[in-house]
Amino acid sequence: MTYNELWRSLTHAYDAGEAKAIVRYVLEVRFGMSVADVYSDKVTHLAADDSRELHEIMRRLGNSEPVQYVLGSACFDGRSYGVKPGVLIPRPETEELCAWLRESASPGAHILDIGTGSGCIAITAALDVEGAAVEAWDLYDVALDVARDNAGKLGAKVHFVKQDALNPPHETSCRDIIVSNPPYVCMHEKAAMERNVLDYEPHSALFVPDDDPLIFYRSIARYAANALRRGGMLLYEINPLYHAEFTAMLRDTGFGCVESRNDCFGKTRFVRATKQDTACLA
């Protein structure tokens, strides 16, 4: 099949622009083709074994399986992370949370990532914050195995712990920064989501009950109120629909300074709260 035939075979599942990008990504990552190779249809000259592999890849993509699961990897903040079913695929928006984390962290900071998934936030912190001591929690063994493997391949020193975010330990003044991108999509939002997310990515890493959308945020904030040192920071990726309720919860939990940032799509996606007495709201 030619490049045009390949991407057109995916248009039942993706719009044309996304279908083209997915096929180019596959041909580059798995078969080492440059953009010039793609557009000159070198795909038609693949060896027999490669052609069979490409056929199987296209079959899986045609069933709306995410390309990251098909290839077993995802790019995040300039690095390649292993991913597989059962582990949430890192999102570009979360790179912006990591950028704010880098701005917020001092050299040697003690950083905790709650709900680490593939380990992308914790590993980014370990590699990009000088002298950071990084710990990462997740409840699921499949995520911890993938995160440990990613840390090893990328040369990041992270201490991974199996821990339920809804039942954290009681710890006092031991962290400088706590960061989390917990489940935050409400069940009623399912109808607007794409099949490649709903049918393949772990619902445990995505969804929260409609009647308690802040369940993870509240538990983590209560833990952080004790575990953070004075002046320590709590950074979250949030559901923009509940920004007002979320910031009110943080103030009620004892965080005096709450700041918000929009993501690249203009949605209020990130919040930073500081453990201090002086109140400020941005």
Side-chain angles (χ1 to χ4, degrees):
M1 296 176 73
T2 66
Y3 165 65
N4 284 336
E5 289 171 331
L6 289 169
W7 71 257
R8 286 185 178 124
S9 72
L10 299 180
T11 53
H12 66 283
Y14 301 95
D15 64 41
E18 192 168 8
K20 291 176 182 178
I22 288 171
V23 172
R24 288 196 302 269
Y25 183 71
V26 167
L27 295 177
E28 176 190 354
V29 172
R30 185 53 57 90
F31 301 101
M33 292 189 186
S34 66
V35 173
D37 292 335
V38 172
Y39 286 113
S40 62
D41 271 330
K42 286 195 176 180
V43 65
T44 60
H45 302 298
L46 286 173
D49 287 348
D50 287 343
S51 291
R52 283 191 289 271
E53 183 180 2
L54 179 59
H55 177 79
E56 174 61 13
I57 288 172
M58 295 305 298
R59 182 193 67 78
R60 293 171 66 182
L61 293 173
N63 288 329
S64 297
E65 185 173 352
V67 65
Q68 294 90 344
Y69 287 159
V70 174
L71 298 182
S73 66
C75 184
F76 181 84
D77 211 18
R79 300 181 177 105
S80 180
Y81 288 79
V83 292
K84 65 181 182 180
V87 178
L88 193 71
I89 296 167
R91 267 44 178 196
E93 307 93 273
T94 308
E95 295 179 6
E96 300 176 62
L97 178 64
C98 287
W100 206 1
L101 171 60
R102 283 190 291 266
E103 291 176 26
S104 304
S106 300
H110 286 247
I111 300 171
L112 172 64
D113 172 28
I114 298 181
T116 197
S118 66
C120 60
I121 296 175
I123 291 168
T124 299
L127 293 175
D128 292 353
V129 178
E130 182 183 352
V134 182
E135 185 172 310
W137 294 354
D138 207 287
L139 180 60
Y140 298 99
D141 290 330
V142 62
L144 290 168
D145 288 344
V146 167
R148 288 190 184 102
D149 189 55
N150 283 327
K153 289 178 178 177
L154 291 168
K157 187 177 180 180
V158 179
H159 178 52
F160 292 100
V161 177
K162 185 174 183 177
Q163 176 62 54
D164 184 357
L166 297 180
N167 293 285
H170 181 78
E171 296 179 310
T172 304
S173 300
C174 58
R175 316 281 187 187
D176 296 305
I177 292 179
I178 296 172
V179 59
S180 186
N181 177 19
Y184 61 65
V185 182
C186 286
M187 299 300 289
H188 73 264
E189 297 178 78
K190 272 187 175 184
M193 298 179 72
E194 299 293 337
R195 181 186 165 196
N196 62 327
V197 176
L198 282 176
D199 289 358
Y200 291 96
E201 296 203 60
H203 286 199
S204 60
L206 289 168
F207 294 108
V208 290
D210 285 339
D211 61 354
D212 195 3
L214 303 185
I215 182 171
F216 284 96
Y217 296 118
R218 188 184 310 108
S219 178
I220 293 168
R222 288 172 178 167
Y223 164 78
N226 291 314
L228 284 172
R229 299 185 175 106
R230 180 66 59 184
M233 296 180 185
L234 177 58
L235 286 95
Y236 281 121
E237 184 169 326
I238 70 166
N239 187 332
L241 294 175
Y242 299 99
H243 173 253
E245 296 91 332
F246 176 73
T247 54
M249 179 274 294
L250 284 175
R251 291 193 298 271
D252 290 344
T253 309
F255 289 90
C257 185
V258 180
E259 305 166 81
S260 303
R261 281 190 181 180
N262 292 350
D263 63 17
C264 58
F265 305 106
K267 295 184 177 180
T268 305
R269 182 73 62 183
F270 313 107
V271 168
R272 181 175 70 181
T274 304
K275 184 178 178 180
Q276 59 183 36
D277 296 327
T278 303
C280 68
L281 182 62

